[in-house]
Amino acid sequence: MSNIRLIVGREFNERVRKKSFIVTTILMPVLMVALMVAPALIMRYARGETKRIAVIDESGLVLPRLESGAEVLFEPTELPLAEARAQLGEHFGVLRIGADILSDPNDVALYANGSVPLVLEERIVGQIEEIIEQEKLRAYDIGNLQQILDEVRTSVTLSTFRNDEPESPARSSAVATFTGFGLGMVLYMFLLIYGAMVMQSVIEEKQSRVLEVIVSSVRPFDLMMGKILGVACVAVVQILLWGVLVGGVGTLVMPHLISADLMSGVEALHAGTADTVSAAAMAGMDPAAFQAVATALDFGYVAALFGWLLLFLVGGYLLYSAMFAAVGSSVDNMQDASQLQSLITMPVLIAFFVAISVMKDPNSQLAFWFSIIPFTSPVVMMARIPCGIPLWEILLSLGLLYLSFVAMVWVAAKIYRVGIFMYGKKPSLREMARWVRYR
């Protein structure tokens, strides 16, 4: 154990003291927030120049009701289609609407002078569809039709509660689903990044022949376990630092971003003295958006998710890093390792795709079994936990995961003690299986 502690300390200090560790630890939360916010900002501010579109409306029904905006400007033209296409080169394009548009809604064509953005096409089609629908409704000659439609239009907000958890507040399925998918993606990234880090460390030391010196004083098993646990400590420290950074920033920033009415509504919802709709009305927000904010401010719920994340992160890392260490010890360079590495990464990729299917049904048989199988359980189970699954499933998954790690360490140690002394040849899977049987 003293040798293992020495190796753990060396691996930990070597990585934590690097500038790259400090930079990634500080910047990663910022980067993750930026990746979530950037698409919305880009869609909001990355607007091109206003596109002028000449309109030939043979029906006389659509053009007067087309609405121009910052992105598109509709301009009438009296020119025939052929002349408009030839002469109006300064326009983005020419939109022709057929005379019998009500009975033939496909008689619409846009002749553009360049590639047509999908957003522009959808906007034009959406406006024309709405105009045609209004004209068809008007043909029924119903008085106050628009007022009737406005009064009939209804928005329903569904609050979901658990019979098996009487004290639990209402949860949004959409918020739980996307939270689970985000946590599953975090596990997916960490398993591959930190597992590959162990493999790369073994290969570098094997190439420099440092391992031959080290194993003269340390057993190969101790060396492998020291590397695995050392990098595990780095991963745990980084996760904890991110948790502290996010929690600290949230504690400092949230009071300035959240109004008193919103906080009152959230507190009432958490206390069970108000339902989602009434609490959202108190805060003046859409119920769906209010539910997302209330979930983010439920610190007990967030802390529980963070705890499960750590347990599955450590268990999944220990399982996969043992396999990565075995692969690293059996080859001489990263090129040879890439082929064997694909066999290890395949279950993680499968788990990621299953996690996507969890968004549809977290309680399906597919989701259940892949969250129990140790090679896929870290990613899939973390995608299911926010949806509120039974505790025994989580504990069973954790137990099998850590038992599998013990078995995998035994197998990996057998390969590791032989592979670190093999040079100049990439072993086959059959040869590695034979190494496991060596005494």
Side-chain angles (χ1 to χ4, degrees), residues 64-76:
R65 297 158 71 178
L66 284 175
E67 296 181 0
S68 301
E71 298 177 357
V72 58
L73 177 63
F74 296 105
E75 297 179 349

Side-chain angles (χ1 to χ4, degrees), residues 154 194 196 234 299 372 386 407:
T154 305
Y194 283 95
V234 176
F299 296 109
I372 297 299

Side-chain angles (χ1 to χ4, degrees), residues 163-177:
N163 287 328
D164 52 345
E165 299 176 6
E167 302 299 326
S168 65
R171 297 287 185 198
S172 169
S173 298
V175 173
T177 298

Side-chain angles (χ1 to χ4, degrees), residues 172-185 351-364 366-368 379-380 382-387:
S172 169
S173 298
V175 173
T177 298
F178 285 103
T179 301
F181 180 73
L183 292 175
M185 182 175 291
F352 178 73
F353 290 118
V354 174
I356 297 176
S357 72
V358 169
M359 298 177 69
K360 296 182 179 179
D361 185 5
N363 297 311
S364 65
L366 178 71
F368 171 78
V379 176
V380 180
M382 282 311 305
R384 294 183 65 207
I385 286 177
C387 300

Side-chain angles (χ1 to χ4, degrees), residues 196-245:
M197 191 180 295
V198 173
M199 181 182 68
Q200 184 176 0
S201 174
V202 174
I203 292 176
E204 289 176 354
E205 292 183 354
K206 186 176 178 180
Q207 287 177 332
S208 62
R209 301 298 178 99
V210 173
L211 283 176
E212 296 180 1
V213 179
I214 297 177
V215 295
S216 63
S217 304
V218 180
R219 291 186 307 164
F221 175 81
D222 295 343
L223 181 59
M224 186 188 72
M225 283 300 300
K227 285 185 173 296
I228 292 174
L229 296 177
V231 178
C233 291
V234 176
V236 170
V237 167
Q238 198 161 42
I239 284 286
L240 290 174
L241 288 175
W242 287 348
V244 171
L245 285 174

